[in-house]
Structure formats: C-alpha cells, structure tokens
Amino acid sequence: MLPAVMVVLVSWGVSIVPLATVHPVDAICGRYSRRGFYALAVSVYLLCTVAIFGACLYIDQPLDMYAALVHTRTVWSEYKDWYVVRDFSLDGSHFTGDPMSLSKDMYAWYASHESDEDVYLVNTTYFDATAITAYMRGSSDDMPEPFWYLAASPSYLEQVGIDVPSDVIERAEHGERVYLLPETLDASEAEAVKSLLVSARKVSDSNIVTAFMENPQYEFITYDSNRELFTWSAGADQPTTASGFVIGVITAENMVPFESESLVASGLDSGYVKLGNSAASRLLGDDGAASLGKSLAVRFATVENYISGLQKSLMDLFALFGMVLFLLMATASVVVACIVGIVNQVSAREISVKYVLGFGVWELYRREVLFVNASTMAGIVISAILRCNAGLLVGAALLCISNLAILIMSRTRTASVVLETVSREQ
C-alpha cells in the first residue's frame, strides 16, 4: 500500500504549492505568477511521461514471458497431462523457506519411487561455447563443440525409444555413472565430451551421499543419435526437438550433488521430476501433493495447469499496470489541458487576436504542441533503443491522446478567452 500512499501525498503536495505560495488578496486581484503555473504543469507532465515509459520498461519483460508461455503451451501439448513440481507445502500451507533445505527429503522420496511406473527424471541443458569454456577453464583437453545434454532416468529413455542394455541400467542403479555418446563423434570429439562431462558434474560436499560419490566409476557407450528428442525447453528461442544428444543415464545411486540437490527445482524447464497420469493417481493426493514426511509435501501440477497458473499471474500483473498506466495517461491529458488553459490566461490578448484572424491550432499553440510531441517522442525513441514494445505502443497512444487533448481544449476554450478579453477591454 505504501506506493499508493506516496503517490497521493506527492500529488497533494504538488497541488497545495500554489495555495501555500499565493496570498489570497493577490489571487483575487490576479497578481500571481501564471508562468509559474505553466512551469509547474510542464514539470508534472514530464514526470507523468517518465513514469509512463518507466512502467512500460518494467512491464515489457512480463509481456515477453507471456508470449513465451503461449509458445510453450503449443509446443508442449504432447506433455500437457504430465505432472511437474509446482512448489512445496508445510502443514498444508505454501512453504516459504529455502527449497534447498528440502533437497534430502525430496531425494529420499524420489529414490523410493524411481522404479514405479510413470515416474520419470528428465532435464536438458544446452552446453554452448560460453558454458563449455567455463567448465573447461584450466584444462589442457580440447574443447568440444556445443551440444545438447539430456539427464534422464532409464524409464524416460525407454518411453522415448532409446534402447539401453539391461546390464548397463543395472550398473547405473548400483552407482556407476553411465553416459550415452552419439555414434557420430570421432575419437577426439568423444574424448573432449567425456572430459567436459566429468568437469561439469563433479563430486562435491553434500548431505546427500550416493553410491557413485563413495566410489566414482564411469562408463561411456555409443548410441544411435539420429532420433529427434524433445528439448524440454520453455524458451521461444530454443528448438522444440533436436538430435545428437549426449545422454546421462541417471538413477538415485549415481547422482552427483548437482542433480540430487536439483530435484527440488520446480517449473517446466528447470524441474527434474516428472510424473505420468498413472503415477500421479497413485502417489498424489486430491490436492496434487505427495508427502515427504514431517508435515512436508511436494506439490505437483500438470504442465497445462502450471502454464495456466503462470499466465493468470501475469494477467493480474498486466491488469494492475494497465490501471496504473491508464491513470498516468489520464493525468497527462489533464495536465495538457491545464497547460493550454494557462497559455490562454497568460497570452489572452495574443490568442484572441490570432483566433479572430483565423489562425489554427498550430499557430495558436505551436510551443505546447512541440513540447508535448517532443517529450513523448523522446520516450518512444528510448523505448525503440531499448527494444521495449510496450513503450512503443503506449507512446503512440500517449501521442494521440495528448494531441487530442490540445485540440479539444483549443476548440472549447479559445472562443471563451476571446469573449473574456473583449469584455475586459470594454
């Protein structure tokens, strides 16, 4: 509530300045600084313009997020009924602490259900040149080319048709780190990828200790990588499917802390744990939660419902900012009308003569039109430089509204100013 209170106080402070600075007798006799009022109105208009374009810069990122969600809803339609981690609860209420403190509980829950039907672990990462350089810094090995990495449970690999020998899966379940490398890699490329995988998923201190961490062993085998696999990417700039994945066959016993502690990650492309319909019906309650013990629970939501929830949150944000922008633009229109009114008072005789001689709006209010359009165009140019789409749209609307306010005020007030001037002269 504080921002709203501050806006009211500032508005009150601005409006009371003339009342506090002008003596009543001077006001009655017309002895007050009309140019001061003009400067005040101009300052308020500039403040409104800055606030409007500032709000547009803020709202532009949520607009991009909403567009990305629309894209994600389309490309993820095949998995819309799959369940992803939404959040955690404590005693039935949303857990507001650090999710990392629940990593051990989440790991224990997944380890006890990883062999259940329709329980999957899947997460993808794109190792671009920047990430590869960061992981390989200080290493004398060759740098591999950028590639997609898929961390997946044996159940998910079976579901997407990647054939992994049963003895290899058994070794992974006993703690051996198993990677599937594309058969298209030559010997030097394969060695570079192996070196990167070892560097990127190092063993580190953790309260979750797996069999692999106690006795690190690796196995690298090749597979037919021509199959297109879903990238699980929610970014509109990322491909929906790709081939040539480097795959980590991940089980509860061969995880490193990077993975075991990431099981608490929620969301679409960040989350690891996924559930099919049959697993959800067995493991989740009516509220979509699975107990982790001690009044703790992990709450799941279908991909479709998760996206809908994010879209609703963004729509609420848009509604709030829409009201704020509407009020700011209405205030700017009123201030423009005030500027025209002040000009009519300050230059009443000049305005009257020009009006009688048939001068139009441009000749009567050239400076005001230039000021309003120049200040608004400055905001539009800045928005274009910063690639703010909301700023461009709102700026164009503000340009039209401000000029319309000048036109309306000039038509409704100029004639009355002429009459007042003539009567005063007589």
Side-chain angles (χ1 to χ4, degrees), residues 242-368:
S243 60
F245 274 87
V246 173
I247 300 175
V249 183
I250 307 301
T251 66
E253 288 300 330
N254 73 359
M255 288 184 183
V256 294
F258 184 93
E259 294 151 351
S260 60
E261 295 178 4
S262 293
L263 296 179
V264 298
S266 60
L268 301 177
D269 50 356
S270 299
Y272 276 70
V273 181
K274 312 287 192 299
L275 302 178
N277 284 324
S278 63
S281 62
R282 293 192 314 272
L283 303 177
L284 305 183
D286 295 336
D287 57 351
S291 175
L292 300 180
K294 299 180 182 179
S295 302
L296 287 170
V298 54
R299 297 192 291 195
F300 288 82
T302 63
V303 167
E304 184 173 23
N305 288 340
Y306 190 89
I307 294 175
S308 297
L310 292 178
Q311 287 181 323
K312 183 180 183 303
S313 298
L314 290 175
M315 288 298 293
D316 292 341
L317 181 65
F318 296 152
L320 174 63
F321 269 85
M323 288 188 291
V324 172
L325 287 173
F326 174 79
L327 291 175
L328 287 172
M329 293 178 72
T331 302
S333 300
V334 171
V335 173
V336 168
C338 291
I339 292 175
V340 174
I342 293 170
V343 171
N344 287 335
Q345 293 296 321
V346 173
S347 308
R349 183 174 296 177
E350 180 185 351
I351 293 291
S352 300
V353 172
K354 287 184 177 180
Y355 182 77
V356 171
L357 293 176
F359 283 60
V361 176
W362 171 251
E363 290 82 4
L364 294 175
Y365 305 103
R366 180 185 292 108
R367 290 177 301 176
E368 291 68 39

